[in-house]
Amino acid sequence: MPRSSSGTLFTDWLRERAVPLTHLDPQAPLDDLEPLRGIIGDTRVVAIGEHSHFIEEFALLRRRLLRFLVERCGFTVLAFEYGFSEGFPLDAWARGEGTDEDLAVHLATAVPVGLTEPLQWVRRHNRTASPSVRFAGIDIPAAGGSLLPSLAPVADYLRRIDPETVPAVETAMRIAASFAGGSAAVAAPAWARLPAAEQNALTAILARLLVRFRSLEPLYATRGDRHDYDLALHRLEGACHADYTFRAMAGLFADNGLTADTSARDAYMARSVLWHLERLDPGTRIVLAAHNAHIQTTPISFDGRLTGLPMGQQLQRALGNGYFALGLTSVAGHTADMHRDEKAPFGFTLGDTTLKPPEPGSVEAAFADAGLGLGIADLRRARTEASDRPDRIRLQGTYVRTPVIDAFDAVLTTPASTVTKDLRI
């Protein structure tokens, strides 16, 4: 491709502009990350992605980046791709409640996506730091595995505020319990096997409760605390979005779903981030950890079909330059491919798969051709300085086609990735 007079080819641009990093070790000195301070500026939410869950290098980098953003940039919240409702006990633990050993109990039924070590670091940090670092869950309950983490506290709230509705919410909980699992990979197919009458009854009850919550807001507010109302409402919204997601996933698996129907989960995650921002101290800055496919700011498409509008796109619309998406990827190595298996605890098993060489046109190929190792590139600068654009980025063992320098504000690439060992999968 000929060089444009208005910019350089992306590979050449990377060779000139990418910032090399020195360490993966979370305990190593942080000076090599200092350029990141200028890259993120005064951003309120910095989202840190990964092209696959269960990758050792990405877990190490998240911990290093969390430490840097907290210790040197003043961030005070760690948000994670973890249930909104279930996040509150973890916040209390991170700020000193209970014993160190209690964390294993809190996370015993959660998919192990790398939350243990960051939370342990936050708890240690908070022993001597002021202000303390908070924790925030943002996801639908149990990542779509069960409605009960949201519905149980909603039922407790309604017993105090609106006892007439308790039979309805208890019916919803009975139906939800009949297909609950450790993740959406378990719950969604179990939901699909329910009689249509049960599926529809659950949806109808949740919809009626949600309309009643919103319609009787003044009455609920006089009967109880405003914060309790807001919390119960968002929990109920999480149950509704999870219920919608079961239908969307069923349509996706049957190849007859509606366009972008799986966006319901991402919409809730985005709203959860905003929920926390609106209620925490002014000036709060959030480190948000989630998959690249959730944090990117461009739509998700496969084979030319629009499948979802990610959380990052919705946060960018709400926050503008206050949202920053940092994608993590690798040039080579291995990935953890997820294979559906309803007999497994979380509904899937992991395959340790060797990554194929980077595809031409990918951001990984550009890093490889530029001869770069561990490094970070400010893609916002590339939007005006580079004359060509990578059109794909890794997603587990495949690629998602997207204008990468529009989808992410920066990308951090490792030379190789390895699957985390000894996972409870």
Side-chain angles (χ1 to χ4, degrees):
M1 182 182 298
R3 186 183 297 269
S4 166
S5 60
S6 62
T8 60
L9 295 178
F10 184 71
T11 298
D12 295 335
W13 181 90
L14 277 178
R15 196 176 287 115
E16 297 169 2
R17 298 294 192 186
V19 177
L21 300 179
T22 308
H23 303 290
L24 278 174
D25 182 359
Q27 305 304 318
L30 297 172
D31 291 347
D32 61 322
L33 288 172
E34 271 300 324
L36 183 60
R37 187 198 301 266
I39 292 174
I40 65 170
D42 58 0
T43 300
R44 294 191 70 188
V45 177
V46 170
I48 303 170
E50 55 187 355
H51 72 51
S52 305
H53 293 315
F54 317 116
I55 298 298
E56 181 67 21
E57 289 76 11
F58 297 158
L60 294 172
L61 285 166
R62 277 201 310 267
R63 288 158 61 190
R64 281 205 85 220
L65 291 164
L66 170 65
R67 183 179 155 219
F68 174 80
L69 291 169
V70 168
E71 292 182 357
R72 299 204 179 182
C73 301
F75 283 70
T76 55
V77 177
L78 168 62
F80 222 89
E81 189 181 328
Y82 184 83
F84 170 85
S85 193
E86 305 95 298
F88 292 94
L90 292 184
D91 178 48
W93 183 87
R95 291 189 290 149
E97 185 177 284
T99 69
D100 289 354
E101 291 71 27
D102 289 341
L103 181 59
V105 177
H106 287 306
L107 298 179
T109 60
V111 178
V113 291
L115 182 51
T116 298
E117 290 81 4
L119 273 174
Q120 290 172 335
W121 180 85
V122 169
R123 183 175 169 96
R124 291 193 301 270
H125 173 84
N126 284 342
R127 288 172 180 155
T128 58
S130 180
S132 62
V133 175
R134 304 287 300 266
F135 176 79
I138 62 162
D139 209 344
I140 56 177
S146 172
L147 305 188
L148 298 179
S150 288
L151 289 182
V154 168
D156 290 340
Y157 175 80
L158 290 174
R159 290 185 184 101
R160 294 185 291 109
I161 302 301
D162 190 3
E164 291 177 277
T165 62
V166 170
V169 74
E170 288 180 342
T171 298
M173 291 172 66
R174 175 189 60 77
I175 299 172
S178 71
F179 64 89
S183 75
V186 175
W191 174 90
R193 289 191 292 269
L194 289 178
E198 292 273 270
Q199 296 173 350
N200 294 336
L202 178 60
T203 298
I205 292 169
L206 294 176
R208 187 160 187 240
L209 286 171
L210 184 60
V211 172
R212 183 170 175 84
F213 255 75
R214 292 171 175 167
S215 302
L216 299 190
E217 177 184 353
L219 177 62
Y220 280 23
T222 61
R223 291 180 175 179
D225 179 79
R226 176 71 203 195
H227 175 77
D228 288 347
Y229 169 82
D230 289 344
L231 181 56
L233 174 61
H234 196 62
R235 281 171 160 154
L236 179 57
E237 290 170 342
C240 291
H241 280 248
D243 177 67
Y244 189 97
T245 299
F246 296 139
R247 294 181 183 273
M249 291 180 68
L252 185 67
F253 293 147
D255 199 29
N256 60 7
L258 302 176
T259 299
D261 216 20
T262 59
S263 305
R265 179 185 175 194
D266 279 85
Y268 183 75
M269 290 198 288
R271 185 68 194 103
S272 294
V273 173
L274 299 175
W275 192 97
H276 287 293
L277 272 179
E278 291 163 2
R279 288 160 180 81
L280 294 170
D281 294 337
T284 291
R285 304 179 78 187
I286 294 178
V287 182
L288 170 59
H291 196 284
N292 281 352
H294 291 309
I295 73 165
Q296 72 175 66
T297 61
T298 52
I300 301 288
S301 296
F302 287 101
D303 298 324
R305 181 180 179 185
L306 178 64
T307 58
L309 307 181
M311 168 182 63
Q313 183 179 15
Q314 300 180 53
L315 286 175
Q316 186 186 61
R317 290 185 66 195
L319 300 174
N321 290 333
Y323 175 73
F324 188 95
L326 172 59
L328 268 58
T329 188
S330 62
V331 170
H334 293 248
T335 189
D337 273 325
M338 301 164 67
H339 306 291
R340 292 174 61 192
D341 180 356
E342 286 190 58
K343 295 180 180 179
F346 297 108
F348 61 87
T349 58
L350 293 180
D352 189 328
T353 304
T354 301
L355 291 170
K356 295 179 180 179
E359 289 187 0
S362 68
V363 69
E364 295 84 5
F367 264 85
D369 292 345
L372 300 169
L374 182 66
I376 187 169
D378 180 358
L379 298 185
R380 294 173 305 179
R381 294 186 63 179
R383 292 168 194 165
T384 58
E385 296 178 357
S387 62
D388 63 337
R389 300 185 172 202
D391 65 2
R392 69 201 73 180
I393 188 170
R394 289 195 192 278
L395 191 154
Q396 293 179 211
T398 184
Y399 279 86
V400 59
R401 287 180 175 269
T402 192
V404 176
I405 68 175
D406 295 323
F408 300 95
D409 297 296
V411 64
L412 197 167
T413 301
T414 67
S417 55
T418 54
V419 177
T420 303
K421 304 301 181 184
D422 301 322
L423 286 169
R424 297 180 292 105
I425 299 294

